[in-house]
Amino acid sequence: MELAPATVLIFGNPQVGTPIMQAAPEAAFDLPIRVLVWDDGGQTRVGYLSPEALQERYGISGADEALDAMAKALDTITEKAVQAK
């Protein structure tokens, strides 16, 4: 079997993930964060589960500061990945 080039990046920060898992322990199914970078017919794509989707999936409340920090980190990391092309 063949696959197009792809890389999964896994990263986390206990100061961000812990409040989220305290609010909804089952969020640990999707933490630490994973970002997929793949080739789509010669074009580089980047994808991940957004903090908003994570919040909705597990009904997370009371961890807004951590979710905001996660969103900012993902934006920064993925912006740099796209620019590095």
Side-chain angles (χ1 to χ4, degrees):
M1 291 187 209
E2 291 185 31
L3 287 174
T7 302
V8 177
L9 307 169
I10 301 171
F11 59 94
N13 178 333
Q15 292 176 328
V16 173
T18 301
I20 293 170
M21 289 187 288
Q22 287 172 331
E26 60 276 13
F29 286 122
D30 287 310
L31 297 174
I33 291 293
R34 293 174 302 281
V35 175
L36 174 63
V37 181
W38 75 99
D39 177 75
D40 183 15
Q43 187 168 6
T44 301
R45 304 278 185 188
V46 178
Y48 55 87
L49 180 68
S50 72
E52 296 83 11
L54 183 72
Q55 184 175 24
E56 185 176 317
R57 179 179 286 178
Y58 298 108
I60 300 168
S61 63
D64 292 342
E65 192 173 308
L67 290 162
D68 288 344
M70 182 183 292
K72 288 177 187 170
L74 284 164
D75 287 345
T76 299
I77 291 165
T78 55
E79 283 288 321
K80 288 184 181 189
V82 171
Q83 292 171 0
K85 230 173 110 172

